[in-house]
Amino acid sequence: MWLERFQILCDDLETCTPLCVIAFLFKLLGVRSSIFFLYVENVARVKKLSLSGFMHYKLRKADQLFVQWPQLQNKYPRAHYVGSLM
């Protein structure tokens, strides 16, 4: 196979949400089970997740959700704190 593992890296833009939904549906249907979806929350989000970040967190659509502030990781324990990515 030319594409054994497919990775999607999304940031906090609402424009990437349709792509992420399509990838999630592919995983559910078994079309492409090797899709790995990473979501990186915007550095400007200090107190709460954005709407798209909250949606990916609550619905467990992202394989890993990265936040850039430690207080967000405390509030959302499944999120991974990675520090500033800039």
Side-chain angles (χ1 to χ4, degrees):
M1 280 276 172
W2 66 275
L3 189 58
E4 300 260 335
R5 186 160 176 87
F6 186 66
Q7 296 180 355
I8 299 174
L9 175 65
C10 287
D11 59 356
D12 188 33
L13 295 175
E14 298 292 331
T15 56
C16 77
T17 301
L19 176 66
C20 299
V21 169
I22 290 170
F24 182 69
L25 290 175
F26 278 179
K27 285 178 82 169
L28 285 179
L29 297 174
V31 174
R32 178 65 69 184
S33 61
S34 63
I35 294 176
F36 195 71
F37 172 47
L38 306 171
Y39 184 84
V40 179
E41 186 62 76
N42 192 331
V43 70
R45 293 297 181 158
V46 177
K47 295 183 180 179
K48 64 179 186 172
L49 295 175
S50 63
L51 180 60
S52 58
F54 187 73
M55 178 181 69
H56 294 307
Y57 181 82
K58 284 296 185 181
L59 297 177
R60 296 178 185 248
K61 290 195 313 184
D63 292 310
Q64 291 196 4
L65 186 129
F66 297 107
V67 294
Q68 300 182 50
W69 292 96
Q71 55 266 39
L72 280 177
Q73 200 272 331
N74 293 335
K75 191 172 182 180
Y76 304 99
R78 284 193 326 267
H80 300 279
Y81 170 64
V82 292
S84 180
L85 297 175
M86 297 173 110

